[in-house]
């Protein structure tokens, strides 16, 4: 079942002589429960694409549809339109920022290269923060299952600076999936880790993807990691030049 649809998305920065086209008419779909790796050289548009998929940045043209809901869509005048479940069309510039933030918090899990944990909050507080901000009750059974699975059960009262890099990334993963988002976006999740920790983190992501049928889109420079995905999208100069299903 199709979960995510990217239709003719372009992103242009600057104007006239300084204009840079970061994405150039990108289109693809992602099935529910699919694990997709996005690869390409530095400056190819990978991070720009992930930021747009995550609702952090806006496309210059085209639209992103997540689970049947248009996140971003450009009208004839180049005005960004945000549409959510049968609420109708509304200018993103007229919509309250907290509503956009709530949408991202509920529907999209984010895993970053440098973890982005809140330094003054302990592990449990970091993991449950998105739910608490949304005034949603924490499912303690699910929380305990996740922290056990990620090996964090003995670190719940630790602050981020008391953890290793691998442990901090585990907290980031747990936080990303705690709210059961429609899709998890991972931006070089192993880029700040050594080989051993990288292999452990990728193994955990694959396990969560497999057991929870979690849709996962990951940027990586590591070919060995990309080959563990269900599918690889290769981007060069803002265009998708290869879309390969991995056969096993």
């Amino acid at each position: 079942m199709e979960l995510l649809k990217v239709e003719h998305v372009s992103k242009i920065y600057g104007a006239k002589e300084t204009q840079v086209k970061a994405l150039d008419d990108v289109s693809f779909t992602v099935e529910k429960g699919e694990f997709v790796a996005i690869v390409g050289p530095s400056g190819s548009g990978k991070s720009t694409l992930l930021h747009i998929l995550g609702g952090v940045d806006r496309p210059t043209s085209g639209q992103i549809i997540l689970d049947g809901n248009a996140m971003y869509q450009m009208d004839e005048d180049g005005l960004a339109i945000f549409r959510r479940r049968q609420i109708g069309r509304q200018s993103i510039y007229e919509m309250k920022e907290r509503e956009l933030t709530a949408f991202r918090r509920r529907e999209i899990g984010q895993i970053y290269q440098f973890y982005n944990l809140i330094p003054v909050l302990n592990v449990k507080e970091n993991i449950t923060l998105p739910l608490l901000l949304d005034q949603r009750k924490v499912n303690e059974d699910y929380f305990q299952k996740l922290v056990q699975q990620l090996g964090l059960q003995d670190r719940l009262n630790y602050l981020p600076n008391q953890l290793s890099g691998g442990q901090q990334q585990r907290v980031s993963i747990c936080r990303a999936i705690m709210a059961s988002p429609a899709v998890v976006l991972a931006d070089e999740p192993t880029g700040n880790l050594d080989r051993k920790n990288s292999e452990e983190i990728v193994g955990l992501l694959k396990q969560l993807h497999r057991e929870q049928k979690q849709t996962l889109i990951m940027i990586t420079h590591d070919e060995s990691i990309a080959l563990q995905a269900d599918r690889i999208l290769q981007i060069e100069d803002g265009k998708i030049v290869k879309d390969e299903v991995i056969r096993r």
Side-chain angles (χ1 to χ4, degrees):
M1 184 176 72
E2 184 180 279
L3 177 77
L4 176 71
K5 180 184 289 186
V6 178
E7 294 185 320
H8 305 292
V9 165
S10 293
K11 179 64 179 181
I12 298 172
Y13 295 103
K16 298 181 179 179
E17 294 82 6
T18 62
Q19 188 176 100
V20 175
K21 184 170 279 191
L23 293 175
D24 188 1
D25 195 30
V26 171
S27 296
F28 63 93
T29 61
V30 176
E31 296 295 308
K32 186 173 183 179
E34 194 172 20
F35 177 10
V36 178
I38 300 176
V39 302
S42 296
S44 60
K46 302 187 305 298
S47 292
T48 298
L49 176 59
L50 207 71
H51 292 158
I52 290 175
L53 294 180
V56 177
D57 202 355
R58 303 169 184 168
T60 304
S61 60
Q63 68 175 356
I64 310 290
I65 300 173
L66 177 62
D67 200 16
N69 304 300
M71 290 173 56
Y72 287 116
Q73 177 179 325
M74 307 309 293
D75 67 10
E76 294 176 355
D77 299 318
L79 181 66
I81 301 295
F82 181 86
R83 185 168 64 228
R84 291 185 59 196
R85 295 180 176 84
Q86 301 177 3
I87 296 177
R89 293 160 65 91
Q90 182 178 6
S91 167
I92 195 170
Y93 302 113
E94 296 174 1
M95 183 169 286
K96 295 177 181 178
E97 181 60 30
R98 65 174 177 268
E99 187 171 2
L100 293 174
T101 301
F103 178 85
R104 293 192 294 262
R105 193 165 57 233
R106 294 165 187 165
E107 305 290 350
I108 300 164
Q110 303 253 19
I111 302 170
Y112 303 93
Q113 179 177 348
F114 294 103
Y115 326 129
N116 283 23
L117 302 178
I118 307 300
V120 297
L121 300 182
N122 65 29
V123 167
K124 182 172 183 178
E125 291 166 340
N126 266 285
I127 292 170
T128 59
L129 182 62
L131 289 172
L132 298 178
L133 288 173
D134 214 20
Q135 297 183 336
R136 295 165 65 186
K137 186 177 179 180
V138 176
N139 183 328
E140 286 294 334
D141 290 339
Y142 185 54
F143 172 79
Q144 291 298 330
K145 177 183 176 181
L146 284 181
V147 297
Q148 289 280 344
Q149 197 167 2
L150 290 163
L152 295 169
Q153 65 274 16
D154 297 326
R155 297 290 187 272
L156 297 182
N157 293 318
Y158 284 48
L159 294 174
N161 65 6
Q162 297 174 302
L163 304 174
S164 67
Q167 289 170 336
Q168 289 186 66
Q169 193 59 291
R170 289 167 185 256
V171 176
S172 178
I173 292 170
C174 198
R175 178 183 60 188
I177 64 175
M178 185 65 206
S180 300
V183 61
V184 169
L185 306 177
D187 189 357
E188 293 283 2
T190 64
N192 201 37
L193 302 174
D194 58 29
R195 172 58 61 179
K196 180 177 182 296
N197 276 298
S198 294
E199 290 175 352
E200 289 179 356
I201 291 300
V202 173
L204 285 168
L205 286 172
K206 287 176 60 182
Q207 182 181 359
L208 292 167
H209 159 254
R210 182 177 62 253
E211 293 180 357
Q212 300 194 30
K213 306 293 189 296
Q214 178 66 65
T215 306
L216 174 63
I217 301 175
M218 179 173 63
I219 285 179
T220 180
H221 281 100
D222 192 322
E223 183 180 359
S224 65
I225 291 175
L227 289 171
Q228 297 183 59
D230 301 322
R231 180 171 155 220
I232 299 175
L233 297 179
Q234 183 174 343
I235 297 183
E236 293 181 9
D237 298 323
K239 294 178 177 286
I240 293 180
V241 297
K242 190 175 183 180
D243 186 345
E244 178 184 9
V245 175
I246 305 300
R247 305 292 182 185
R248 294 185 176 85

